[in-house]
């Protein structure tokens, strides 16, 4: 077991923190208020190598191993205060790029991964529907076989990057009688007749990433745009969720480290009753709890990365990581606000934004209830 | 026959803990009838990978291979060969 980072991994961290601080935090309070997606920052992240971090060089990536990638993404979240941007990046990387890399044909990888790594494309992942959320496999979207492909009809909702999507990975029923075993995955390109997207929805947090609906109306998708075998959609989704749940919070762990430092600095500097508030035990206990949550989150994250890097099953670890990390981010964000007092409640301070951003995490990629169900089910209950 | 017996033993005794009794036939449907649920399929994959020293890629976890003990055994034997 190795608990240290190599010099090269440390260099990635230092570089990405400096890059993020320099380039990604511009006008954040206004962008959050106006729900502006920073397209230019997305492109800069691609130039730095974020989207392509774990993708092989043959498809325009950097070919980094999983632990280095996770360290890089944690550093990104530490330097970049725009949690919407880091969520959008992580969402595309784990729920679109990773399944493409794992299940795509050579032609699909060449065609899509290169553009996604270069920041020229935005990839969305469409599973949730108006009538199916946690119970994802009860989806209604249908894909009927036609000569040379399929005709898709249905709607996906709450999809990150949907309003700007260049491609969408969409799940649909190809054999309704077979339930979850009759679902297949498709890659839909923007501009395909019958494929439209909604405008961005207004939302509580993560306001810099656009979220919306995908509509499919008699949308013909050629056979070469099916991802994996027919009927393998549920297994592909499960696998994608294993990766997404393991890593989508990597940058939020970095955000928690940043939040902790900011909170400690405030507790040392703010004085009440003639002494720094950090000297009051109820304040310092709260900071100690934040530190414990951060380190717990890190251990779950690194363990999942190690398992997946070593090609070992990690469904249980992914569910535990997702549950622990998302709940920790909410708890610590609330503690950070309490500790900043009234100032923390104001938008300019930034800590209230972090709480609004954190809440989404206990819902997307499967709610906390669903992670507990998964853990219990895998324990044989 | 050995692969089938090993799979049946695991499904009846571990996955179902005797829930459906010992009367699961080799060609009885496991999935559509709901004999085993999706998380039990995950546990079955983990068991089969360990027991038969193979890797079952997610795209192979389909009804074609997992419908019955027979189809799964045939799939696993084809990977061993
Ligand atoms: C910020 C954000 C980004 C998202 N991005 C995407 C995306 O990119 N692509 C995509 O497809 N979807 C996305 N989603 C959708 C998300 O995956 C779903 O919202 C989530 O799976 C929950 O589904 P639901 O909203 O329909 O809630 P429901 O499933 O209706 O759940 C409502 C409540 O009931 C509980 N519940 C439901 N079933 C059970 C059960 N069996 N046991 C215990 N409790 C249960 C839930 O935990 C929850 O508290 C996103 C959501 C958010 C908030």
């Amino acid at each position: 077991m190795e608990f240290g980072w190599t010099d090269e991994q440390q260099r990635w961290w230092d570089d990405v923190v400096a890059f993020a601080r320099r380039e990604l935090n511009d006008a954040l309070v206004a962008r959050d208020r106006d729900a502006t997606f920073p397209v230019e920052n997305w492109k800069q992240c691609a130039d730095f190598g974020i989207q392509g971090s774990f993708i092989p060089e043959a498809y325009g990536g950097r070919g980094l191993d999983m632990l280095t990638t996770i360290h890089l993404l944690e550093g990104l979240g530490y330097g970049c205060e725009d949690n919407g941007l880091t969520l959008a990046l992580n969402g595309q990387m784990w729920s679109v790029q990773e399944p493409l890399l794992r299940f795509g044909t050579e032609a699909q990888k060449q065609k899509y991964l290169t553009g996604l790594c270069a920041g020229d494309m935005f990839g969305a992942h469409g599973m949730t529907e108006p009538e199916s959320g946690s119970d994802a496999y009860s989806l209604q979207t249908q894909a009927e076989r036609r000569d040379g492909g399929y005709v898709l009809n249905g709607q996906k909702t709450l999809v990150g990057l949907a309003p700007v999507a260049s491609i969408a990975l969409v799940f649909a029923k190809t054999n309704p009688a077979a339930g979850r075993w009759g679902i297949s995955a498709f890659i839909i390109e923007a501009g395909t007749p019958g494929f439209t997207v909604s405008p961005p929805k207004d939302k509580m947090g993560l306001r810099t990433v656009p979220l919306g609906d995908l509509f499919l109306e008699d949308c013909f998708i050629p056979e070469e745009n099916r991802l994996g075998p027919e009927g393998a959609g549920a297994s592909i989704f499960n696998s994608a969720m294993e990766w997404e749940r393991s890593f989508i919070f990597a940058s939020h762990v970095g955000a928690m480290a940043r939040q902790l430092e900011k909170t400690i600095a405030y507790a040392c500097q703010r004085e009440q009753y003639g002494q720094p508030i950090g000297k009051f035990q109820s304040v310092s206990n709260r900071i100690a709890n934040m530190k414990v949550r951060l380190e717990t989150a890190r251990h779950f994250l690194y363990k999942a990365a190690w398992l997946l890097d070593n090609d070992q099953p990690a469904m249980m670890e992914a569910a535990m990581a997702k549950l622990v990390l998302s709940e920790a981010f909410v708890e610590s964000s609330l503690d950070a606000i309490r500790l900043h007092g009234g100032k923390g409640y104001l938008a300019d301070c930034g800590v209230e934004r972090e709480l609004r951003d954190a809440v989404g995490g206990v819902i997307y990629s499967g709610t906390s209830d669903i992670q507990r169900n998964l853990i219990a089910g895998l324990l044989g209950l | 026959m050995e692969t089938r017996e090993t799979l049946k033993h695991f499904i009846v005794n571990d996955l179902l803990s005797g829930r459906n009794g010992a009367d699961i036939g080799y060609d009885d449907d496991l999935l559509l009838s709901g004999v085993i649920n999706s998380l039990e399929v995950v546990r079955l994959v983990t068991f089969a990978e360990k027991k038969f020293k193979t890797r079952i890629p997610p795209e192979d976890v389909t009804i074609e291979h997992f419908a019955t003990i027979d189809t799964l055994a045939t799939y696993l034997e084809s990977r061993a060969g």
Side-chain angles (χ1 to χ4, degrees):
Chain A
M1 209 170 281
E2 177 64 70
F3 278 100
W5 296 108
T6 64
D7 290 347
E8 197 208 333
Q9 288 168 329
Q10 195 51 49
R11 242 191 327 274
W12 275 110
W13 171 280
D14 294 340
D15 289 352
V16 76
V17 170
F19 156 73
R21 283 181 173 156
R22 192 175 61 241
E23 308 290 350
L24 305 179
N25 295 330
D26 53 300
L28 184 52
V29 172
R31 281 199 282 112
D32 175 68
R33 185 189 57 230
D34 304 336
T36 310
F37 177 53
V39 178
E40 190 48 43
N41 295 359
W42 179 271
K43 182 74 184 135
Q44 281 185 296
C45 286
D47 294 343
F48 184 87
I50 303 291
Q51 289 92 318
S53 50
F54 70 101
I55 300 291
E57 288 174 11
Y59 309 117
R62 301 282 169 128
L64 300 180
D65 63 89
M66 219 32 74
L67 275 166
T68 308
T69 300
I70 290 317
H71 199 44
L72 172 75
L73 291 171
E74 189 185 334
L76 176 72
Y78 179 70
C80 172
E81 296 179 29
D82 183 351
N83 299 315
L85 175 66
T86 59
L87 174 75
L89 289 162
N90 276 279
Q92 172 178 297
M93 288 166 67
W94 305 118
S95 70
V96 181
Q97 293 177 203
E98 203 286 326
L100 272 170
L101 180 64
R102 186 166 291 259
F103 305 109
T105 60
E106 188 54 33
Q108 289 170 341
K109 291 189 225 186
Q110 289 291 351
K111 187 169 182 191
Y112 302 117
L113 283 178
T114 330
L116 291 166
C117 290
D120 299 332
M121 295 173 88
F122 303 104
H125 174 105
M127 178 51 138
T128 308
E129 299 185 359
E131 300 305 326
S132 60
S134 301
D135 187 10
Y137 300 128
S138 66
L139 58 87
Q140 293 303 310
T141 299
Q142 293 242 14
E144 274 179 53
R145 264 247 178 232
R146 291 288 156 81
D147 259 2
Y150 301 81
V151 171
L152 272 70
N153 278 289
Q155 179 186 349
K156 300 291 175 181
T157 192
L158 284 160
V159 176
L161 290 174
V164 295
S166 324
I167 59 163
L169 177 59
V170 160
F171 296 84
K173 290 199 272 193
T174 38
N175 177 7
R180 60 159 275 154
W181 301 98
I183 296 170
S184 304
F186 298 92
I187 307 159
I188 322 263
E189 292 180 20
T192 306
F195 175 51
T196 52
V197 299
S198 74
K201 308 269 181 188
D202 203 5
K203 57 190 181 314
M204 174 187 191
L206 302 166
R207 291 173 56 79
T208 55
V209 50
L211 191 114
D213 291 357
L214 307 170
F215 302 100
L216 299 150
E217 271 182 71
D218 293 329
C219 178
F220 179 78
I221 300 301
E223 176 130 21
E224 68 252 29
N225 275 33
R226 194 187 63 227
L227 184 68
E230 195 174 290
S235 300
I236 290 174
F237 178 73
N238 258 345
S239 164
M241 283 302 104
E242 194 170 312
W243 286 77
E244 177 171 297
R245 285 172 186 146
S246 296
F247 303 139
I248 198 162
F249 282 91
S251 299
H252 288 355
V253 171
M256 283 169 67
R258 167 167 46 70
Q259 186 181 54
L260 177 63
E261 284 177 13
K262 185 170 177 166
T263 305
I264 293 170
Y266 189 75
C268 293
Q269 163 250 313
R270 172 73 172 171
E271 294 198 356
Q272 288 292 283
Y273 299 95
Q275 56 180 325
I277 57 169
K279 293 289 171 207
F280 302 121
Q281 216 168 43
S282 25
V283 172
S284 59
N285 279 352
R286 212 168 266 145
I287 291 180
N289 286 342
M290 288 173 76
K291 173 68 176 166
V292 172
R293 273 188 221 112
L294 170 65
E295 293 305 325
T296 310
R298 277 194 170 131
H299 283 98
F300 276 95
L301 178 67
Y302 300 162
K303 170 88 184 286
W306 182 86
L307 283 171
L308 288 170
D309 224 7
N310 286 280
D311 206 21
Q312 293 191 34
M315 194 178 229
M316 168 83 90
E317 284 74 12
M320 293 193 297
K322 203 270 163 177
L323 178 61
V324 167
L325 271 62
S326 61
E327 294 287 349
F329 194 26
V330 173
E331 285 298 311
S332 290
S333 298
L334 203 49
D335 276 344
I337 295 184
R338 286 188 213 276
L339 221 139
H340 279 79
K343 218 171 283 167
Y345 197 70
L346 302 179
D348 275 351
C349 177
V351 294
E352 64 81 38
R353 186 183 61 249
E354 221 108 60
L355 175 64
R356 288 188 285 105
D357 292 342
V359 172
V362 302
I363 300 171
Y364 58 72
S365 308
T367 67
S368 295
D369 300 324
I370 296 304
Q371 305 312 319
R372 288 192 184 90
N373 289 356
L374 277 169
I375 295 163
L378 290 170
L379 289 172
L381 298 167
Chain B
M1 220 44 194
E2 211 176 289
T3 310
R4 284 158 181 73
E5 275 160 22
T6 309
L7 289 171
K8 178 170 172 168
H9 187 270
F10 176 75
I11 291 170
V12 171
N13 295 296
D14 292 73
L15 279 193
L16 305 179
S17 325
R19 204 162 73 215
N20 275 50
D23 57 348
I24 294 177
Y26 291 144
D27 59 356
D28 280 354
D29 173 68
L30 297 173
L31 306 179
L32 296 185
S33 53
V35 171
I36 58 175
N37 66 31
S38 56
L39 285 178
E40 286 161 349
V41 171
V42 174
R43 291 173 61 206
L44 180 56
V45 168
T46 310
F47 166 78
E49 286 185 333
K50 256 198 203 133
K51 187 79 195 173
F52 302 104
K53 296 189 175 41
T54 186
R55 190 85 178 93
I56 303 175
E59 65 268 34
D60 283 359
V61 184
T62 56
I63 199 163
E64 188 192 338
H65 301 312
F66 280 70
T68 65
I69 291 175
D70 257 339
T71 58
L72 181 54
T74 307
Y75 166 76
L76 289 168
E77 284 160 3
S78 76
R79 289 186 72 77

